[in-house]
C-alpha cells in the first residue's frame, strides 16, 4: 500500500470513529510555533548535534501561486503537523494538506475571497470524528474539514465568518484580516485581526467564536467604551467612534490548565501622531491576560504609553517556567521591536525583573502630548542597540561625509523621540529589533531571539488641506495614500520591502492594479473605502497618465500629518549605514536575566569573500529549538537555512534554500523518523519569490 493510500485509509478510519495514531506531543507540531505556549520547542532529539551535518532534503512540495513577475508573494507560514499530515498555506494563500513523510498532496483549497492576506498558518481543532482546520483568508475565517479541505457548511455562513461584522465604526474602511493562526480553548476560537494603520482603521477588539457554529461567544474591547476601565486614557470622549486599531495581529499564547489567554495588542491608529487620542491609550500596546472562557481581564501591562512610534509588540508571547532562589515560577515573556524583553509572573502579572519608568524627550508637534515616561526593563539588557549616533556608522560605509551631515540635522540618540518635521532616526528600526517571527524558549528557561539592527528615518509633514467633496489630483491622492510606503518618488525603499512603482504599467494591467487597490496584497491594505474615480486617479498617476486630472475627494482629513515613509537607511552600495552586526541571534537566560551569547545571523557573501567578518543581515522569521541541542533558523536574506549549537551559538550546519525562508521552521516525527520543514517563500528584501516547502531528515546512507 502506498503512503498516500495509507493516509487516506487513516482518514476513513477516523471518520468511522477511531484513531490508530493517537496524538503525542513529542511527535507532532500541532499548533502555531509548536504549542499553546508558543515556545518554538520540540522534545524530539533524533536530529542532534552529533548528526546534524548529515541532514539531506527528504522531500519538497511546490505549493503554487508564487509571483515570479514582481517577486512580491511571500510564505510566512509555520506549518502544523498532526497524525502524519502537514497543513500549510501556499504562496497565493490557499490552505493545503500533505502526507508529512513524503510531501505528497492530499488536498488544497481553491478559495476566491482570499485577497489581501499573507498567512502565517492554520489552526486545528478536533473532537471525536469532527476535525477542523480554521484558516484566515481575506476578511474571513474559514472552517475546513481537515480530511477533505471542504468548507463546513454549518459554521458561520456557508463555512466562514466575516471578521468585519462587529468591528465597524463611523468613518472606518473595509480592511480586516486574520493572518496569524487563531487560538483554541475548549470549544472557543479566540481571534485577533490585522486592520489598517491609518485613521480609517476598524476597531481591534479580541473575540471568541464557537468552533462548531461560528457564533460570537465573547468580546474584549481593546478601546474601552464609556464607563469601562481605561476609558479615561482616551481623550476626547467616545474613542470607539473616532479611533481604530489596538488590535492583536501578532498572535496569542494560551495556558490551558489555568484557562488564561495572553494577548498582545498593537498601536492605535494613526501610528505616528496621537493628538486626537491624548492619554496613555489603554489597552493599546499591552500584554493582556484574559480569562479564556469569558474574555474577562485578569491583568494587563502596557509596554508603550501613547504609542506614536509604531512600537507595538511584534510577536506572540512565550510561556515557560524559570527558577529563582530554588523556586519554580511560571512566567510569560514578550520581546519588542525596541529590543526589550519583558518577563511577568503568569498568574499575577508581577514583573520578574524591575521595570523603570524612564523619562524621554517631549514633543513639539502642535496638538500632540507624548507620555513623559516609557517602561524600560532593568533586566534583561536590550538585545539590540538603543540609539544611533555618529559612532554607530559602519567603518566601510559609502559617502560617510554626506551621511554624517544628514545625521547632524536629525533627531537621534534616544529610544523614544517624538516625530517632528525634522528627520528622526529609529534605531532599531520601525520593524525591529524583534519582528513577527518572535523568540523560542527551552525547558532550561533560555530564550533565543533573532533581531535586526538597521536604522530607519522618517518625519512628519502636513497633509494637503483637501476638504471632502473638493477637487484633488492623482498626485495628491498618491501622496496621501501610498507615498509613506512606496516613496514620494514612487521608487519604493532600498531593500525592496516596499517595491518601486516605476514602470509598473508594463508589468500589471489597469484591471490588475484596480484589483490590487480593492483587495490589498500581503502587507498592503485595501483601498476599497475610497471612490473608484480616486483609485483611477492614483493608477493614472503611477502610470504617468493624466497626472493633473482632478477628481472629487471623498476623504475627510482627520489627522493633519503624515509620515514620510519607512526609510531604511542604506548607503549607495546597498549596505546598512550602521556598523555590523545587521542581524543577530541572542540567547538570554530568563532565570537570571543575563545574556549568554549573541552572534551575527546571516551574511553578505561578497563581504565575507573580501575578508570582512560575518555581518548578519535583515531577517524575518523565528527560530526552532530542540531537545537535540539545536537551534534551526532560516529568516535571512542570503537564502540559507542554518543549525546552531544552543549552548554557545556555534554554527553546525547550513544549506541553500530555493528561496529565502522568511518563516519559522517546524519539526515532527512520522514512523520514527524526524523531519524539519521550512516554507521558502522569499519575496522580501529584494529576494525572489518562491512556493516550495522543503523538509530535511537524517541521511540513511
Amino acid at each position: 500500500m502506498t503512503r498516500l493510500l495509507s493516509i487516506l485509509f487513516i482518514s476513513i478510519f477516523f471518520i468511522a470513529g477511531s484513531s490508530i495514531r493517537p496524538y503525542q506531543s513529542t511527535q507532532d507540531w500541532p499548533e502555531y510555533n509548536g504549542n499553546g505556549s508558543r515556545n518554538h520547542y520540540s522534545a524530539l532529539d533524533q536530529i542532534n548535534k552529533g548528526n546534524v551535518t548529515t541532514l539531506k532534503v527528504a522531500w519538497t512540495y511546490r505549493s503554487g501561486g508564487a509571483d515570479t513577475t514582481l517577486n512580491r508573494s511571500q510564505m510566512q507560514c509555520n506549518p502544523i503537523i498532526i497524525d502524519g499530515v502537514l497543513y500549510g498555506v501556499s504562496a497565493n494563500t490557499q490552505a493545503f494538506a500533505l502526507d508529512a513523510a513524503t510531501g505528497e498532496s492530499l488536498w488544497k483549497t481553491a478559495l476566491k475571497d482570499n485577497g489581501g492576506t499573507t498567512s502565517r498558518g492554520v489552526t486545528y481543532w478536533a473532537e471525536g470524528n469532527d476535525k477542523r482546520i480554521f484558516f484566515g483568508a481575506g476578511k474571513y475565517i474559514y472552517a475546513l474539514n481537515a480530511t477533505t479541505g471542504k468548507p463546513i457548511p454549518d459554521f458561520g455562513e456557508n463555512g466562514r465568518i466575516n471578521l468585519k461584522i462587529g468591528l465597524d465604526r463611523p468613518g472606518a474602511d473595509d480592511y480586516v484580516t486574520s493572518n496569524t493562526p487563531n487560538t483554541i480553548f475548549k470549544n472557543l476560537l479566540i481571534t485577533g485581526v490585522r486592520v489598517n494603520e491609518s485613521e480609517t482603521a476598524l476597531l481591534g477588539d479580541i473575540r471568541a467564536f464557537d468552533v462548531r457554529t461560528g457564533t460570537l461567544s465573547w468580546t474584549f474591547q481593546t478601546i474601552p467604551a464609556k464607563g469601562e476601565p481605561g476609558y479615561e486614557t482616551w481623550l476626547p470622549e467616545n474613542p470607539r467612534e473616532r479611533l481604530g486599531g489596538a488590535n492583536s495581529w501578532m498572535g496569542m499564547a494560551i495556558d490551558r490548565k489555568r484557562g488564561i489567554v495572553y494577548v498582545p495588542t498593537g498601536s492605535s491608529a494613526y501610528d505616528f501622531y496621537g493628538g486626537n487620542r491624548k492619554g496613555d491609550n489603554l489597552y493599546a500596546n499591552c500584554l493582556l491576560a484574559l480569562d479564556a472562557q469569558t474574555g474577562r481581564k485578569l491583568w494587563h501591562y502596557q509596554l508603550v504609553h501613547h504609542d506614536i512610534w509604531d512600537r507595538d509588540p511584534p510577536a506572540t508571547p512565550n510561556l515557560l517556567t524559570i527558577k529563582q532562589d530554588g523556586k519554580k515560577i511560571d512566567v510569560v515573556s514578550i520581546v519588542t521591536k525596541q529590543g526589550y524583553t519583558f518577563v511577568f509572573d503568569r498568574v499575577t502579572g508581577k514583573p520578574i525583573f524591575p521595570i523603570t519608568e524612564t523619562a524621554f524627550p517631549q514633543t513639539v508637534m502642535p496638538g500632540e502630548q507624548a507620555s513623559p515616561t516609557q517602561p524600560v526593563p532593568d533586566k534583561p539588557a536590550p538585545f539590540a542597540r538603543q540609539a544611533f549616533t555618529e559612532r554607530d556608522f559602519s567603518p566601510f560605509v559609502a559617502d560617510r561625509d554626506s551621511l554624517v551631515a544628514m545625521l547632524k540635522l536629525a533627531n537621534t540618540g534616544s529610544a523614544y523621540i517624538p516625530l517632528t518635521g525634522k528627520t528622526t532616526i529609529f534605531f532599531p528600526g520601525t520593524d525591529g529589533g524583534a519582528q513577527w517571527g518572535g523568540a523560542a524558549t527551552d525547558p532550561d528557561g533560555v530564550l533565543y531571539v533573532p533581531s535586526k539592527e538597521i536604522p530607519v528615518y522618517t518625519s512628519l509633514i502636513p497633509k494637503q488641506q483637501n476638504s471632502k467633496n473638493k477637487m484633488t489630483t492623482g498626485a495628491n491622492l498618491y501622496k496621501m495614500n501610498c507615498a509613506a510606503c512606496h516613496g514620494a518618488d514612487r521608487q519604493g525603499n532600498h531593500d525592496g520591502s516596499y517595491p518601486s512603482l516605476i514602470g509598473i504599467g508594463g508589468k500589471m494591467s489597469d484591471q490588475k492594479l484596480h484589483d490590487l487597490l480593492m483587495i490589498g496584497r500581503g502587507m498592503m491594505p485595501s483601498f476599497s473605502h475610497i471612490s473608484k474615480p480616486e483609485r483611477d486617479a492614483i493608477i493614472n498617476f503611477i502610470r504617468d497618465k493624466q497626472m493633473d486630472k482632478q477628481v472629487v475627494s471623498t476623504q475627510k482629513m482627520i489627522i493633519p500629518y503624515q509620515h514620510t515613509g519607512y526609510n531604511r537607511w542604506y548607503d549607495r552600495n546597498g549596505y546598512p549605514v550602521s556598523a555590523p552586526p545587521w542581524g543577530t541571534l541572542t540567547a538570554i537566560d530568563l532565570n537570571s536575566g543575563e545574556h549568554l551569547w549573541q552572534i551575527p545571523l546571516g551574511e553578505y557573501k561578497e563581504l565575507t569573500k573580501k575578508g570582512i567578518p560575518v555581518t548578519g543581515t535583515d531577517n524575518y522569521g523565528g527560530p526552532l529549538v530542540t531537545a537535540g541541542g539545536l537551534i534551526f533558523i532560516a529568516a535571512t536574506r542570503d537564502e540559507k537555512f542554518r543549525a546552531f549549537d544552543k549552548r554557545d551559538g556555534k554554527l553546525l550546519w547550513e544549506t541553500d534554500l530555493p528561496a529565502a525562508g522568511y518563516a519559522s521552521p517546524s519539526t515532527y516525527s512520522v514512523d520514527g523518523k524526524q523531519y524539519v520543514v521550512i516554507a521558502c517563500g522569499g519575496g522580501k528584501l529584494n529576494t525572489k519569490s518562491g512556493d516550495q516547502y522543503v523538509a530535511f531528515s537524517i541521511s540513511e546512507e
Side-chain angles (χ1 to χ4, degrees):
M1 182 183 294
T2 67
R3 182 73 192 171
L4 175 59
L5 289 175
S6 297
I7 292 292
L8 292 175
F9 174 77
I10 290 170
S11 300
I12 294 169
F13 203 67
F14 280 164
I15 294 173
S18 178
S19 172
I20 62 174
R21 190 195 297 274
Y23 164 72
Q24 296 182 38
S25 61
T26 56
Q27 290 186 347
D28 291 347
W29 190 264
E31 298 186 57
Y32 181 59
N33 293 337
N35 51 37
S37 296
R38 311 301 184 217
N39 55 24
H40 303 240
Y41 177 80
S42 172
L44 293 174
D45 61 1
Q46 184 183 83
I47 302 172
N48 54 59
K49 291 187 290 185
N51 60 20
V52 67
T53 57
T54 68
L55 277 180
K56 302 291 183 184
V57 173
W59 55 258
T60 61
Y61 169 70
R62 301 200 75 105
S63 68
D67 176 358
T68 57
T69 302
L70 297 177
N71 281 320
R72 299 307 305 162
S73 65
Q74 303 172 38
M75 294 194 303
Q76 299 177 355
C77 176
N78 176 241
I80 62 173
I81 299 91
I82 298 169
D83 296 319
V85 179
L86 181 147
Y87 302 93
V89 182
S90 72
N92 60 342
T93 322
Q94 300 292 342
F96 63 77
L98 308 177
D99 179 333
T102 66
E104 192 169 1
S105 177
L106 301 177
W107 57 257
K108 182 179 175 183
T109 60
L111 304 175
K112 302 299 183 184
D113 297 322
N114 64 341
T117 308
T118 296
S119 175
R120 291 174 184 148
V122 301
T123 303
Y124 179 86
W125 175 87
E127 185 173 271
N129 298 329
D130 191 356
K131 298 174 175 62
R132 302 186 178 197
I133 292 293
F134 295 98
F135 175 43
K139 63 182 178 181
Y140 300 102
I141 290 180
Y142 291 84
L144 308 174
N145 182 302
T147 303
T148 66
K150 301 296 183 183
I152 296 173
D154 55 358
F155 178 85
E157 185 176 346
N158 298 318
R160 66 187 189 183
I161 51 177
N162 185 335
L163 290 166
K164 184 181 176 183
I165 297 172
L167 300 182
D168 209 354
R169 64 173 184 84
D173 58 36
D174 296 326
Y175 184 71
V176 62
T177 191
S178 180
N179 64 327
T180 301
N182 309 125
T183 298
I184 295 289
F185 179 72
K186 297 182 179 178
N187 67 323
L188 297 177
L189 183 74
I190 306 174
T191 304
V193 294
R194 181 181 167 222
V195 296
N196 208 329
E197 296 185 5
S198 75
E199 58 265 43
T200 60
L202 292 162
L203 293 165
D205 296 342
I206 314 303
R207 296 177 291 177
F209 299 91
D210 186 282
V211 295
R212 296 181 183 86
T213 65
T215 56
L216 182 66
S217 294
W218 58 255
T219 298
F220 179 84
Q221 297 185 153
T222 58
I223 299 176
K226 189 173 184 177
E228 293 181 332
Y231 178 79
E232 70 283 357
T233 68
W234 302 81
L235 296 173
E237 62 181 3
N238 299 322
R240 289 183 63 82
E241 296 181 10
R242 300 183 297 103
L243 302 164
N247 52 304
S248 186
W249 59 266
M250 61 294 287
M252 312 166 189
I254 180 80
D255 183 334
R256 293 192 175 94
K257 181 178 179 180
R258 293 185 172 94
I260 304 175
V261 60
Y262 299 90
V263 185
T265 58
S267 313
S268 178
Y270 172 60
D271 291 351
F272 293 100
Y273 179 83
N276 62 333
R277 49 177 174 89
K278 294 180 174 65
D280 279 353
N281 303 153
L282 293 175
Y283 295 96
N285 298 86
C286 282
L287 178 60
L288 298 167
L290 304 180
D291 182 316
Q293 190 66 50
T294 65
R296 179 176 61 91
K297 182 174 74 72
L298 303 176
W299 59 263
H300 78 275
Y301 190 90
Q302 190 170 47
L303 306 169
V304 180
H305 310 313
H306 187 77
D307 185 12
I308 48 176
W309 303 272
D310 194 21
R311 288 299 193 192
D312 46 342
T316 60
N318 300 103
L319 306 185
L320 68 155
T321 301
I322 63 171
K323 185 179 288 188
Q324 291 186 342
D325 300 323
K327 179 183 177 182
K328 291 183 176 180
I329 309 172
D330 290 342
V331 301
V332 52
S333 67
I334 190 165
V335 293
T336 75
K337 293 177 181 178
Q338 194 59 46
Y340 301 152
T341 306
F342 290 88
V343 189
F344 305 96
D345 183 289
R346 207 183 298 176
V347 177
T348 67
K350 179 182 177 181
I352 297 300
F353 305 103
I355 301 171
T356 300
E357 286 289 339
T358 305
F360 286 98
Q362 290 303 292
T363 183
V364 297
M365 291 300 292
E368 182 62 273
Q369 291 183 9
S371 172
T373 63
Q374 295 295 342
V376 178
D378 292 4
K379 274 189 169 185
F383 51 82
R385 288 166 284 181
Q386 293 298 291
F388 193 88
T389 67
E390 187 174 341
R391 295 188 302 273
D392 294 299
F393 278 114
S394 169
F396 52 86
V397 71
D399 297 326
R400 180 183 179 88
D401 290 347
S402 63
L403 295 173
V404 169
M406 176 179 169
L407 181 68
K408 288 180 177 179
L409 296 175
N411 293 321
T412 188
S414 179
Y416 290 103
I417 305 174
L419 268 65
T420 67
K422 188 177 180 181
T423 297
T424 298
I425 309 296
F426 286 73
F427 195 56
T430 44
D431 60 349
Q435 38 75 26
W436 60 261
T441 63
D442 67 17
D444 296 325
V446 180
L447 177 143
Y448 308 89
V449 57
S451 177
K452 311 150 36 130
E453 296 201 32
I454 298 174
V456 167
Y457 62 89
T458 193
S459 59
L460 283 180
I461 57 174
K463 285 185 178 178
Q464 184 171 324
Q465 300 292 322
N466 279 331
S467 300
K468 188 175 180 180
N469 297 326
K470 294 293 180 69
M471 302 303 289
T472 189
T473 64
N476 189 53
L477 289 164
Y478 173 86
K479 181 179 178 181
M480 292 175 63
N481 294 284
C482 314
C485 293
H486 296 285
D489 56 4
R490 295 175 287 162
Q491 293 282 0
N493 62 351
H494 189 92
D495 67 6
S497 296
Y498 302 100
S500 170
L501 300 179
I502 302 299
I504 192 71
K507 299 175 181 178
M508 297 184 73
S509 66
D510 280 2
Q511 185 58 54
K512 286 188 176 181
L513 288 169
H514 276 290
D515 293 344
L516 186 61
L517 287 173
M518 278 296 294
I519 64 176
R521 181 177 183 178
M523 297 302 292
M524 174 183 164
S526 163
F527 290 92
S528 59
H529 59 289
I530 67 176
S531 69
K532 184 177 184 301
E534 288 172 299
R535 294 194 298 272
D536 288 342
I538 292 173
I539 291 170
N540 286 337
F541 173 73
I542 64 176
R543 290 172 65 94
D544 295 314
K545 297 192 309 183
Q546 304 175 37
M547 290 176 58
D548 296 324
K549 181 179 179 181
Q550 295 202 344
V551 296
V552 174
S553 172
T554 64
Q555 300 181 66
K556 180 181 179 181
M557 189 177 70
I558 301 169
I559 303 295
Y561 302 100
Q562 65 186 72
H563 70 106
T564 56
Y566 303 93
N567 303 293
R568 297 186 187 183
W569 206 2
Y570 288 78
D571 69 10
R572 60 179 166 83
N573 293 328
Y575 302 117
V577 302
S578 51
W582 299 320
T584 61
L585 181 63
T586 305
I588 305 173
D589 185 347
L590 295 187
N591 302 286
S592 64
E594 300 295 333
H595 287 210
L596 299 177
W597 50 259
Q598 184 178 83
I599 59 169
L601 179 63
E603 67 173 337
Y604 286 83
K605 296 177 184 178
E606 68 276 16
L607 296 181
T608 303
K609 289 178 181 178
K610 292 179 180 179
I612 296 173
V614 174
T615 58
T617 74
D618 205 339
N619 55 83
Y620 291 96
L624 158 68
V625 61
T626 75
L630 299 169
I631 303 167
F632 288 96
I633 187 166
T636 53
R637 70 180 305 277
D638 57 17
E639 301 179 330
K640 294 276 191 180
F641 190 30
R642 295 177 169 92
F644 298 94
D645 188 325
K646 74 171 190 174
R647 293 179 308 173
D648 55 16
K650 180 182 177 182
L651 177 64
L652 301 177
W653 171 84
E654 67 179 3
T655 191
D656 293 317
L657 296 174
Y662 301 132
S664 299
S666 307
T667 190
Y668 59 95
S669 179
V670 177
D671 295 332
K673 187 172 186 177
Q674 185 182 356
Y675 300 82
V676 179
V677 62
I678 182 73
C680 307
K684 295 178 74 72
L685 305 175
N686 284 326
T687 59
K688 64 181 180 294
S689 291
D691 68 352
Q692 293 188 58
Y693 283 72
V694 182
F696 299 87
S697 63
I698 297 300
S699 173
E700 297 178 355
E701 296 178 1

